[in-house]
Amino acid sequence: VAWYAPRLSFKSGPDVYGGLPGLILKLEKNSKTKSGGEQTQTTTAISIQTGNEKTKITRPKKGKLVNQKEFKEENEKQMQKMKEMYDGGIDKD
């Protein structure tokens, strides 16, 4: 069960939860325990910081401009590396 704030248009939340049309402020997650019982985990936002209006965003000095095809190829390569790492492999770089 998730409670979210549609006026806060961040599609984010705790852990891997997100994608709702607003910021998740409270989340209740039910799961089974190893002993066969059930448990409920509740996560509640206790404060929200929207940033400082005086914060200046500067353009990065490093990097390279890529087109959509190059981006897709690089993304697929990185996803494959991540899959290998999570499957017990190591980072090859």
mmCIF file of all heavy atoms in Angstrom, residues 15-62:
data_model
loop_
_atom_site.group_PDB
_atom_site.id
_atom_site.type_symbol
_atom_site.label_atom_id
_atom_site.label_comp_id
_atom_site.label_asym_id
_atom_site.label_seq_id
_atom_site.Cartn_x
_atom_site.Cartn_y
_atom_site.Cartn_z
ATOM 1 N N ASP A 15 13.454 2.710 -1.499
ATOM 2 C CA ASP A 15 13.996 1.478 -2.048
ATOM 3 C C ASP A 15 13.762 1.419 -3.555
ATOM 4 O O ASP A 15 14.127 2.339 -4.272
ATOM 5 C CB ASP A 15 13.388 0.274 -1.325
ATOM 6 C CG ASP A 15 14.178 -1.018 -1.533
ATOM 7 O OD1 ASP A 15 15.344 -0.936 -1.945
ATOM 8 O OD2 ASP A 15 13.632 -2.091 -1.288
ATOM 9 N N VAL A 16 13.133 0.391 -4.073
ATOM 10 C CA VAL A 16 12.920 0.244 -5.512
ATOM 11 C C VAL A 16 11.520 0.686 -5.933
ATOM 12 O O VAL A 16 11.139 0.494 -7.078
ATOM 13 C CB VAL A 16 13.151 -1.217 -5.965
ATOM 14 C CG1 VAL A 16 14.582 -1.634 -5.713
ATOM 15 C CG2 VAL A 16 12.184 -2.164 -5.273
ATOM 16 N N TYR A 17 10.777 1.259 -5.013
ATOM 17 C CA TYR A 17 9.403 1.632 -5.300
ATOM 18 C C TYR A 17 9.336 3.028 -5.891
ATOM 19 O O TYR A 17 9.996 3.947 -5.438
ATOM 20 C CB TYR A 17 8.543 1.532 -4.041
ATOM 21 C CG TYR A 17 8.515 0.123 -3.521
ATOM 22 C CD1 TYR A 17 9.405 -0.304 -2.551
ATOM 23 C CD2 TYR A 17 7.639 -0.805 -4.054
ATOM 24 C CE1 TYR A 17 9.403 -1.612 -2.097
ATOM 25 C CE2 TYR A 17 7.631 -2.116 -3.615
ATOM 26 C CZ TYR A 17 8.508 -2.508 -2.636
ATOM 27 O OH TYR A 17 8.509 -3.800 -2.211
ATOM 28 N N GLY A 18 8.531 3.181 -6.901
ATOM 29 C CA GLY A 18 8.367 4.461 -7.570
ATOM 30 C C GLY A 18 7.464 4.267 -8.771
ATOM 31 O O GLY A 18 6.881 3.213 -8.972
ATOM 32 N N GLY A 19 7.350 5.306 -9.576
ATOM 33 C CA GLY A 19 6.555 5.202 -10.789
ATOM 34 C C GLY A 19 5.122 5.666 -10.642
ATOM 35 O O GLY A 19 4.393 5.698 -11.622
ATOM 36 N N LEU A 20 4.716 6.020 -9.427
ATOM 37 C CA LEU A 20 3.371 6.566 -9.254
ATOM 38 C C LEU A 20 3.378 8.019 -9.717
ATOM 39 O O LEU A 20 4.438 8.637 -9.825
ATOM 40 C CB LEU A 20 2.942 6.475 -7.786
ATOM 41 C CG LEU A 20 2.745 5.055 -7.252
ATOM 42 C CD1 LEU A 20 2.480 5.088 -5.757
ATOM 43 C CD2 LEU A 20 1.606 4.375 -7.972
ATOM 44 N N PRO A 21 2.218 8.608 -9.954
ATOM 45 C CA PRO A 21 2.189 9.997 -10.433
ATOM 46 C C PRO A 21 2.426 11.004 -9.301
ATOM 47 O O PRO A 21 1.716 11.991 -9.169
ATOM 48 C CB PRO A 21 0.788 10.125 -11.030
ATOM 49 C CG PRO A 21 -0.027 9.128 -10.295
ATOM 50 C CD PRO A 21 0.892 7.998 -9.974
ATOM 51 N N GLY A 22 3.420 10.754 -8.479
ATOM 52 C CA GLY A 22 3.778 11.652 -7.389
ATOM 53 C C GLY A 22 4.745 10.973 -6.440
ATOM 54 O O GLY A 22 4.972 9.762 -6.499
ATOM 55 N N LEU A 23 5.323 11.754 -5.533
ATOM 56 C CA LEU A 23 6.297 11.251 -4.577
ATOM 57 C C LEU A 23 5.621 10.369 -3.533
ATOM 58 O O LEU A 23 4.622 10.755 -2.936
ATOM 59 C CB LEU A 23 6.983 12.431 -3.883
ATOM 60 C CG LEU A 23 8.056 12.096 -2.863
ATOM 61 C CD1 LEU A 23 9.239 11.407 -3.535
ATOM 62 C CD2 LEU A 23 8.513 13.356 -2.159
ATOM 63 N N ILE A 24 6.160 9.162 -3.307
ATOM 64 C CA ILE A 24 5.621 8.254 -2.289
ATOM 65 C C ILE A 24 6.051 8.761 -0.917
ATOM 66 O O ILE A 24 7.239 8.912 -0.643
ATOM 67 C CB ILE A 24 6.107 6.808 -2.511
ATOM 68 C CG1 ILE A 24 5.572 6.272 -3.839
ATOM 69 C CG2 ILE A 24 5.664 5.915 -1.359
ATOM 70 C CD1 ILE A 24 6.100 4.897 -4.205
ATOM 71 N N LEU A 25 5.064 9.033 -0.055
ATOM 72 C CA LEU A 25 5.328 9.544 1.288
ATOM 73 C C LEU A 25 5.263 8.456 2.344
ATOM 74 O O LEU A 25 5.881 8.565 3.394
ATOM 75 C CB LEU A 25 4.329 10.657 1.630
ATOM 76 C CG LEU A 25 4.338 11.844 0.679
ATOM 77 C CD1 LEU A 25 3.243 12.818 1.052
ATOM 78 C CD2 LEU A 25 5.698 12.528 0.699
ATOM 79 N N LYS A 26 4.499 7.404 2.076
ATOM 80 C CA LYS A 26 4.388 6.297 3.021
ATOM 81 C C LYS A 26 4.183 5.015 2.223
ATOM 82 O O LYS A 26 3.460 5.002 1.234
ATOM 83 C CB LYS A 26 3.223 6.517 3.979
ATOM 84 C CG LYS A 26 3.126 5.469 5.065
ATOM 85 C CD LYS A 26 2.066 5.836 6.095
ATOM 86 C CE LYS A 26 2.001 4.811 7.212
ATOM 87 N NZ LYS A 26 1.013 5.179 8.229
ATOM 88 N N LEU A 27 4.832 3.937 2.683
ATOM 89 C CA LEU A 27 4.753 2.662 1.987
ATOM 90 C C LEU A 27 4.637 1.558 3.026
ATOM 91 O O LEU A 27 5.401 1.513 3.984
ATOM 92 C CB LEU A 27 6.009 2.447 1.139
ATOM 93 C CG LEU A 27 6.094 1.149 0.358
ATOM 94 C CD1 LEU A 27 5.111 1.173 -0.815
ATOM 95 C CD2 LEU A 27 7.498 0.907 -0.143
ATOM 96 N N GLU A 28 3.647 0.684 2.861
ATOM 97 C CA GLU A 28 3.499 -0.502 3.702
ATOM 98 C C GLU A 28 3.704 -1.725 2.827
ATOM 99 O O GLU A 28 3.035 -1.886 1.810
ATOM 100 C CB GLU A 28 2.118 -0.558 4.343
ATOM 101 C CG GLU A 28 1.914 0.445 5.436
ATOM 102 C CD GLU A 28 0.563 0.318 6.107
ATOM 103 O OE1 GLU A 28 -0.217 -0.600 5.771
ATOM 104 O OE2 GLU A 28 0.284 1.156 6.977
ATOM 105 N N LYS A 29 4.653 -2.563 3.222
ATOM 106 C CA LYS A 29 4.999 -3.740 2.429
ATOM 107 C C LYS A 29 4.827 -4.981 3.294
ATOM 108 O O LYS A 29 5.430 -5.103 4.351
ATOM 109 C CB LYS A 29 6.444 -3.608 1.949
ATOM 110 C CG LYS A 29 6.922 -4.740 1.090
ATOM 111 C CD LYS A 29 8.305 -4.442 0.559
ATOM 112 C CE LYS A 29 9.300 -5.323 1.235
ATOM 113 N NZ LYS A 29 10.636 -5.256 0.699
ATOM 114 N N ASN A 30 3.984 -5.909 2.852
ATOM 115 C CA ASN A 30 3.761 -7.175 3.548
ATOM 116 C C ASN A 30 4.620 -8.249 2.894
ATOM 117 O O ASN A 30 4.729 -8.309 1.678
ATOM 118 C CB ASN A 30 2.291 -7.592 3.476
ATOM 119 C CG ASN A 30 1.394 -6.607 4.169
ATOM 120 O OD1 ASN A 30 1.729 -6.095 5.225
ATOM 121 N ND2 ASN A 30 0.253 -6.313 3.579
ATOM 122 N N SER A 31 5.208 -9.107 3.735
ATOM 123 C CA SER A 31 6.000 -10.207 3.197
ATOM 124 C C SER A 31 5.952 -11.382 4.162
ATOM 125 O O SER A 31 5.606 -11.248 5.325
ATOM 126 C CB SER A 31 7.449 -9.768 2.952
ATOM 127 O OG SER A 31 8.040 -9.337 4.157
ATOM 128 N N LYS A 32 6.319 -12.537 3.654
ATOM 129 C CA LYS A 32 6.358 -13.762 4.453
ATOM 130 C C LYS A 32 7.729 -13.865 5.128
ATOM 131 O O LYS A 32 8.739 -13.494 4.552
ATOM 132 C CB LYS A 32 6.140 -14.984 3.572
ATOM 133 C CG LYS A 32 4.810 -14.985 2.843
ATOM 134 C CD LYS A 32 3.926 -16.031 3.422
ATOM 135 C CE LYS A 32 2.638 -16.094 2.610
ATOM 136 N NZ LYS A 32 1.491 -16.131 3.450
ATOM 137 N N THR A 33 7.740 -14.409 6.338
ATOM 138 C CA THR A 33 8.994 -14.650 7.033
ATOM 139 C C THR A 33 9.465 -16.068 6.740
ATOM 140 O O THR A 33 8.704 -16.889 6.217
ATOM 141 C CB THR A 33 8.820 -14.472 8.559
ATOM 142 O OG1 THR A 33 7.896 -15.455 9.033
ATOM 143 C CG2 THR A 33 8.327 -13.078 8.890
ATOM 144 N N LYS A 34 10.694 -16.382 7.098
ATOM 145 C CA LYS A 34 11.235 -17.732 6.876
ATOM 146 C C LYS A 34 10.471 -18.780 7.665
ATOM 147 O O LYS A 34 10.383 -19.926 7.265
ATOM 148 C CB LYS A 34 12.714 -17.771 7.248
ATOM 149 C CG LYS A 34 13.578 -17.011 6.292
ATOM 150 C CD LYS A 34 15.032 -17.105 6.687
ATOM 151 C CE LYS A 34 15.874 -16.296 5.717
ATOM 152 N NZ LYS A 34 17.297 -16.366 6.056
ATOM 153 N N SER A 35 9.897 -18.355 8.809
ATOM 154 C CA SER A 35 9.159 -19.308 9.639
ATOM 155 C C SER A 35 7.712 -19.483 9.185
ATOM 156 O O SER A 35 6.946 -20.205 9.807
ATOM 157 C CB SER A 35 9.188 -18.849 11.102
ATOM 158 O OG SER A 35 8.566 -17.578 11.219
ATOM 159 N N GLY A 36 7.323 -18.814 8.094
ATOM 160 C CA GLY A 36 5.977 -18.975 7.559
ATOM 161 C C GLY A 36 4.991 -17.920 8.028
ATOM 162 O O GLY A 36 3.844 -17.926 7.606
ATOM 163 N N GLY A 37 5.432 -17.024 8.885
ATOM 164 C CA GLY A 37 4.559 -15.948 9.340
ATOM 165 C C GLY A 37 4.547 -14.793 8.350
ATOM 166 O O GLY A 37 5.093 -14.896 7.257
ATOM 167 N N GLU A 38 3.928 -13.716 8.750
ATOM 168 C CA GLU A 38 3.890 -12.518 7.910
ATOM 169 C C GLU A 38 4.418 -11.342 8.693
ATOM 170 O O GLU A 38 4.316 -11.296 9.918
ATOM 171 C CB GLU A 38 2.453 -12.233 7.454
ATOM 172 C CG GLU A 38 1.932 -13.224 6.447
ATOM 173 C CD GLU A 38 0.596 -12.799 5.856
ATOM 174 O OE1 GLU A 38 0.176 -11.661 6.077
ATOM 175 O OE2 GLU A 38 -0.009 -13.624 5.169
ATOM 176 N N GLN A 39 5.002 -10.392 7.964
ATOM 177 C CA GLN A 39 5.468 -9.171 8.599
ATOM 178 C C GLN A 39 5.129 -7.985 7.709
ATOM 179 O O GLN A 39 5.010 -8.125 6.498
ATOM 180 C CB GLN A 39 6.965 -9.220 8.879
ATOM 181 C CG GLN A 39 7.844 -9.233 7.640
ATOM 182 C CD GLN A 39 9.319 -9.318 7.978
ATOM 183 O OE1 GLN A 39 9.691 -9.609 9.096
ATOM 184 N NE2 GLN A 39 10.157 -9.065 7.007
ATOM 185 N N THR A 40 4.952 -6.829 8.322
ATOM 186 C CA THR A 40 4.676 -5.604 7.596
ATOM 187 C C THR A 40 5.781 -4.608 7.878
ATOM 188 O O THR A 40 6.122 -4.368 9.033
ATOM 189 C CB THR A 40 3.323 -4.991 8.021
ATOM 190 O OG1 THR A 40 2.288 -5.944 7.766
ATOM 191 C CG2 THR A 40 3.026 -3.725 7.244
ATOM 192 N N GLN A 41 6.340 -4.060 6.818
ATOM 193 C CA GLN A 41 7.367 -3.039 6.945
ATOM 194 C C GLN A 41 6.748 -1.724 6.486
ATOM 195 O O GLN A 41 6.178 -1.641 5.399
ATOM 196 C CB GLN A 41 8.576 -3.373 6.077
ATOM 197 C CG GLN A 41 9.652 -2.321 6.111
ATOM 198 C CD GLN A 41 10.801 -2.651 5.164
ATOM 199 O OE1 GLN A 41 10.783 -3.659 4.471
ATOM 200 N NE2 GLN A 41 11.785 -1.789 5.127
ATOM 201 N N THR A 42 6.843 -0.696 7.324
ATOM 202 C CA THR A 42 6.290 0.612 6.986
ATOM 203 C C THR A 42 7.415 1.620 6.880
ATOM 204 O O THR A 42 8.256 1.715 7.772
ATOM 205 C CB THR A 42 5.284 1.079 8.059
ATOM 206 O OG1 THR A 42 4.255 0.098 8.169
ATOM 207 C CG2 THR A 42 4.658 2.401 7.682
ATOM 208 N N THR A 43 7.456 2.352 5.775
ATOM 209 C CA THR A 43 8.418 3.419 5.559
ATOM 210 C C THR A 43 7.638 4.708 5.407
ATOM 211 O O THR A 43 6.708 4.781 4.604
ATOM 212 C CB THR A 43 9.243 3.157 4.284
ATOM 213 O OG1 THR A 43 9.824 1.856 4.370
ATOM 214 C CG2 THR A 43 10.323 4.184 4.101
ATOM 215 N N THR A 44 8.010 5.728 6.193
ATOM 216 C CA THR A 44 7.292 7.002 6.172
ATOM 217 C C THR A 44 8.285 8.138 5.989
ATOM 218 O O THR A 44 9.314 8.186 6.669
ATOM 219 C CB THR A 44 6.530 7.210 7.499
ATOM 220 O OG1 THR A 44 5.674 6.095 7.717
ATOM 221 C CG2 THR A 44 5.697 8.468 7.457
ATOM 222 N N ALA A 45 7.975 9.069 5.098
ATOM 223 C CA ALA A 45 8.812 10.256 4.916
ATOM 224 C C ALA A 45 8.648 11.141 6.148
ATOM 225 O O ALA A 45 7.524 11.420 6.569
ATOM 226 C CB ALA A 45 8.388 11.018 3.668
ATOM 227 N N ILE A 46 9.770 11.554 6.742
ATOM 228 C CA ILE A 46 9.680 12.434 7.903
ATOM 229 C C ILE A 46 10.034 13.876 7.545
ATOM 230 O O ILE A 46 9.726 14.790 8.283
ATOM 231 C CB ILE A 46 10.564 11.935 9.068
ATOM 232 C CG1 ILE A 46 12.007 11.776 8.619
ATOM 233 C CG2 ILE A 46 10.025 10.631 9.623
ATOM 234 C CD1 ILE A 46 12.973 11.459 9.737
ATOM 235 N N SER A 47 10.665 14.055 6.403
ATOM 236 C CA SER A 47 10.919 15.405 5.911
ATOM 237 C C SER A 47 11.153 15.337 4.409
ATOM 238 O O SER A 47 11.542 14.303 3.877
ATOM 239 C CB SER A 47 12.124 16.043 6.609
ATOM 240 O OG SER A 47 13.318 15.406 6.222
ATOM 241 N N ILE A 48 10.895 16.453 3.760
ATOM 242 C CA ILE A 48 11.102 16.538 2.312
ATOM 243 C C ILE A 48 11.885 17.812 2.051
ATOM 244 O O ILE A 48 11.483 18.889 2.476
ATOM 245 C CB ILE A 48 9.763 16.591 1.545
ATOM 246 C CG1 ILE A 48 8.962 15.326 1.838
ATOM 247 C CG2 ILE A 48 9.995 16.753 0.055
ATOM 248 C CD1 ILE A 48 7.551 15.391 1.323
ATOM 249 N N GLN A 49 13.019 17.672 1.395
ATOM 250 C CA GLN A 49 13.825 18.833 1.060
ATOM 251 C C GLN A 49 13.758 19.040 -0.443
ATOM 252 O O GLN A 49 14.060 18.140 -1.214
ATOM 253 C CB GLN A 49 15.269 18.624 1.504
ATOM 254 C CG GLN A 49 15.397 18.470 3.001
ATOM 255 C CD GLN A 49 16.822 18.187 3.422
ATOM 256 O OE1 GLN A 49 17.710 17.995 2.611
ATOM 257 N NE2 GLN A 49 17.039 18.165 4.718
ATOM 258 N N THR A 50 13.340 20.211 -0.838
ATOM 259 C CA THR A 50 13.207 20.491 -2.266
ATOM 260 C C THR A 50 14.419 21.189 -2.840
ATOM 261 O O THR A 50 14.479 21.463 -4.012
ATOM 262 C CB THR A 50 11.962 21.355 -2.530
ATOM 263 O OG1 THR A 50 12.084 22.568 -1.800
ATOM 264 C CG2 THR A 50 10.703 20.615 -2.131
ATOM 265 N N GLY A 51 15.398 21.499 -2.022
ATOM 266 C CA GLY A 51 16.609 22.144 -2.509
ATOM 267 C C GLY A 51 16.603 23.624 -2.215
ATOM 268 O O GLY A 51 15.648 24.185 -1.692
ATOM 269 N N ASN A 52 17.682 24.235 -2.562
ATOM 270 C CA ASN A 52 17.867 25.656 -2.326
ATOM 271 C C ASN A 52 17.747 26.383 -3.651
ATOM 272 O O ASN A 52 18.395 26.033 -4.626
ATOM 273 C CB ASN A 52 19.258 25.876 -1.702
ATOM 274 C CG ASN A 52 19.534 27.310 -1.358
ATOM 275 O OD1 ASN A 52 18.833 28.210 -1.799
ATOM 276 N ND2 ASN A 52 20.566 27.523 -0.568
ATOM 277 N N GLU A 53 16.937 27.419 -3.700
ATOM 278 C CA GLU A 53 16.735 28.147 -4.955
ATOM 279 C C GLU A 53 18.031 28.776 -5.453
ATOM 280 O O GLU A 53 18.163 29.073 -6.623
ATOM 281 C CB GLU A 53 15.662 29.217 -4.763
ATOM 282 C CG GLU A 53 14.275 28.644 -4.570
ATOM 283 C CD GLU A 53 13.228 29.720 -4.371
ATOM 284 O OE1 GLU A 53 13.481 30.874 -4.729
ATOM 285 O OE2 GLU A 53 12.150 29.375 -3.869
ATOM 286 N N LYS A 54 19.000 28.976 -4.551
ATOM 287 C CA LYS A 54 20.256 29.595 -4.948
ATOM 288 C C LYS A 54 21.239 28.589 -5.527
ATOM 289 O O LYS A 54 22.305 28.962 -5.982
ATOM 290 C CB LYS A 54 20.888 30.305 -3.745
ATOM 291 C CG LYS A 54 20.062 31.471 -3.258
ATOM 292 C CD LYS A 54 20.727 32.143 -2.088
ATOM 293 C CE LYS A 54 19.863 33.291 -1.593
ATOM 294 N NZ LYS A 54 20.459 33.957 -0.438
ATOM 295 N N THR A 55 20.897 27.304 -5.497
ATOM 296 C CA THR A 55 21.775 26.281 -6.044
ATOM 297 C C THR A 55 21.909 26.472 -7.546
ATOM 298 O O THR A 55 20.919 26.546 -8.259
ATOM 299 C CB THR A 55 21.227 24.868 -5.748
ATOM 300 O OG1 THR A 55 21.101 24.709 -4.341
ATOM 301 C CG2 THR A 55 22.148 23.806 -6.298
ATOM 302 N N LYS A 56 23.133 26.558 -8.000
ATOM 303 C CA LYS A 56 23.385 26.767 -9.422
ATOM 304 C C LYS A 56 23.841 25.456 -10.051
ATOM 305 O O LYS A 56 24.724 24.784 -9.526
ATOM 306 C CB LYS A 56 24.449 27.845 -9.612
ATOM 307 C CG LYS A 56 24.700 28.185 -11.057
ATOM 308 C CD LYS A 56 25.714 29.300 -11.181
ATOM 309 C CE LYS A 56 25.941 29.606 -12.648
ATOM 310 N NZ LYS A 56 26.964 30.617 -12.839
ATOM 311 N N ILE A 57 23.241 25.092 -11.140
ATOM 312 C CA ILE A 57 23.629 23.884 -11.869
ATOM 313 C C ILE A 57 24.591 24.307 -12.970
ATOM 314 O O ILE A 57 24.272 25.174 -13.784
ATOM 315 C CB ILE A 57 22.398 23.174 -12.460
ATOM 316 C CG1 ILE A 57 21.459 22.755 -11.335
ATOM 317 C CG2 ILE A 57 22.825 21.972 -13.296
ATOM 318 C CD1 ILE A 57 20.145 22.202 -11.798
ATOM 319 N N THR A 58 25.765 23.690 -12.966
ATOM 320 C CA THR A 58 26.757 24.037 -13.983
ATOM 321 C C THR A 58 26.865 22.922 -15.010
ATOM 322 O O THR A 58 26.682 21.749 -14.696
ATOM 323 C CB THR A 58 28.143 24.274 -13.340
ATOM 324 O OG1 THR A 58 28.527 23.104 -12.634
ATOM 325 C CG2 THR A 58 28.111 25.448 -12.380
ATOM 326 N N ARG A 59 27.160 23.303 -16.214
ATOM 327 C CA ARG A 59 27.305 22.345 -17.306
ATOM 328 C C ARG A 59 28.562 21.502 -17.100
ATOM 329 O O ARG A 59 29.617 22.038 -16.759
ATOM 330 C CB ARG A 59 27.399 23.109 -18.620
ATOM 331 C CG ARG A 59 27.399 22.228 -19.823
ATOM 332 C CD ARG A 59 27.508 23.066 -21.094
ATOM 333 N NE ARG A 59 27.152 22.234 -22.190
ATOM 334 C CZ ARG A 59 26.217 22.500 -23.078
ATOM 335 N NH1 ARG A 59 25.547 23.613 -23.002
ATOM 336 N NH2 ARG A 59 25.950 21.669 -24.039
ATOM 337 N N PRO A 60 28.479 20.183 -17.288
ATOM 338 C CA PRO A 60 29.661 19.334 -17.113
ATOM 339 C C PRO A 60 30.767 19.712 -18.094
ATOM 340 O O PRO A 60 30.499 20.118 -19.225
ATOM 341 C CB PRO A 60 29.148 17.928 -17.420
ATOM 342 C CG PRO A 60 27.671 18.010 -17.359
ATOM 343 C CD PRO A 60 27.302 19.416 -17.644
ATOM 344 N N LYS A 61 32.019 19.583 -17.637
ATOM 345 C CA LYS A 61 33.163 19.901 -18.498
ATOM 346 C C LYS A 61 33.673 18.660 -19.216
ATOM 347 O O LYS A 61 34.365 18.751 -20.203
ATOM 348 C CB LYS A 61 34.269 20.533 -17.662
ATOM 349 C CG LYS A 61 33.883 21.901 -17.121
ATOM 350 C CD LYS A 61 35.001 22.479 -16.294
ATOM 351 C CE LYS A 61 34.767 23.880 -15.838
ATOM 352 N NZ LYS A 61 33.569 24.196 -15.190
ATOM 353 N N LYS A 62 33.335 17.471 -18.690
ATOM 354 C CA LYS A 62 33.768 16.217 -19.294
ATOM 355 C C LYS A 62 32.579 15.550 -19.976
ATOM 356 O O LYS A 62 31.448 15.929 -19.765
ATOM 357 C CB LYS A 62 34.322 15.270 -18.238
ATOM 358 C CG LYS A 62 35.596 15.739 -17.588
ATOM 359 C CD LYS A 62 36.058 14.718 -16.583
ATOM 360 C CE LYS A 62 37.340 15.142 -15.927
ATOM 361 N NZ LYS A 62 37.796 14.143 -14.956
#
